[in-house]
Amino acid sequence: MKISVASGKGGTGKTMVAVGLAVAAESAVLVDCDAEAPNCHIFLRKGDPEVHEVFVPVPQVDASRCSLCGACAQACRFNALAVAGGKVILFDKLCHGCGVCTAVCPSGAVQEVKRKVGVVEVDEDGSLVVVTGRLDVGEATPVPVIKAAKRLAPSAGITIVDCAPGTSCAVVEAVKDSDLCLLVTEPTPFGLHDLRMAADTLAELEIPAAVVVNRSDGEDAGVREFCRTRGLAIAAELPVDRRAAESYAVGKHPSLEHEEWRRAFRRLLCTVTRTASGREC
Amino acid sequence: MKVAVASAGNTLDSPVDPRFGRCAWFVIVDTDTMNLEAVPNPAAGAAGGAGIQAAQALLSRGVQAVIAGQVGPNAFQVLSTAGVRVLPFGGGSVKDAVDAFTAGQLTEAAAPTGPAHMGMVPGDSTPGFPSGGMGPGWGMGRGGGRGRGRGRRGW
């Protein structure tokens, strides 16, 4: 069972929910796919992770074979190549590693070499495995790192995927192949606005979704109305609680500190399991 | 010599576009014959790498000098590698730019004159850099009306 946690708006509590679910499960794999700012590990403070470097293929042109025909530059839909002044110029930050330049070169002058764009850290400690995707600073797209993190995550009964905020490629890649996506929101106009975008994205991807309202005021009128009209289930309404904020402020997960929070996440895990797999827990 | 002027339109009277990579047109003038040709910029709507694509298109047309408000780092690299002169010019028509060029009044840029992605956001300006582009807006108007109808009792 694979559960992704996304939101639209940043700061709604995705990481808190993802970590809460992973902790509530007897054993789980938690994949932090917010590769530009991964921080699930802060809550969990594990040991010494195994580090895997992530590479993307980029073209390298053999000048002795290149006829400067420009086929590679013309075929590149990302405009990462140009032919000027008797050579091929590569703008590697624009390259998506699709390999079309290698494929179209009539002289066989283009070969692919590796360029590092980030790392995946696998932290395995007993029943909880934390896999963290970490994009190198200055890189344009986290997608290759997210793919690698998901690939390197060991298979498990429950896999929780923490996503980046927003609705871009990074989120699409992270939620792909989920059995259920939890959309974490907050009862503010900002939370609702971005929840709508996230819900639209998941509908487009045909991924089942449910909503978690964090910092709930107990009424959540706008969110409830939205969920009703869209046929989205509300999986949990987590209350505004000073104790949760205090735990969070010192990097501790409220479910590891307070019994009510532990139970709340246990309940959420059961709801999610039932919704995603039909199994009781 | 063939000079390409980044332009908002396709005539000599059109204003010079401050952006190179995402300008609407290139007006290409042959200063020896004063022949004029306007070509739409194939990169105007590119998702990324617009400056690179625009520069490549001009190279294939044998352009030897480029006049634009600003030229970003990627486009500058392509143009300068090919030995194309980059000449910043702001605030005038294509004709003004060509006149200034033929009169020898334009100074060649030795380095990119604007930041990358300058043409992508309307009015984007980074402190320390000249103010940026005038691209089409990306907004998606969602405003409603103000609801000024008057209720009437009954049907």
Side-chain angles (χ1 to χ4, degrees), chain A residues 62-199:
Chain A
D62 178 351
S64 68
R65 299 172 80 171
C66 175
S67 67
L68 300 173
C69 71
C72 53
Q74 210 158 39
C76 180
R77 61 178 293 195
F78 305 106
N79 295 320
L81 291 164
V83 179
K87 61 181 182 180
V88 178
I89 307 173
L90 168 68
F91 294 90
D92 60 3
K93 292 282 161 69
L94 295 179
C95 177
H96 283 51
C98 72
V100 74
C101 47
T102 310
V104 300
C105 178
S107 334
V110 185
Q111 63 161 11
E112 289 181 345
V113 295
K114 297 192 298 182
R115 188 171 75 81
K116 179 175 167 286
V117 293
V119 295
V120 173
E121 299 158 5
V122 181
D123 197 338
E124 199 157 356
D125 177 16
S127 57
L128 180 57
V129 182
V130 183
V131 181
T132 304
R134 194 181 291 280
L135 184 70
D136 284 350
V137 170
E139 288 301 332
T141 169
V143 170
V145 175
I146 292 168
K147 280 186 175 160
K150 292 174 84 172
R151 194 176 58 241
L152 288 162
S155 59
I158 300 178
T159 301
I160 313 282
V161 177
D162 189 19
C163 304
T167 53
S168 66
C169 303
V171 174
V172 170
E173 190 61 43
V175 299
K176 222 187 245 176
D177 70 21
S178 314
D179 297 304
L180 176 70
C181 180
L182 288 180
L183 295 174
V184 185
T185 189
E186 59 180 28
T188 65
F190 307 98
L192 181 57
H193 174 269
D194 297 359
L195 171 64
R196 185 172 282 126
M197 297 198 302

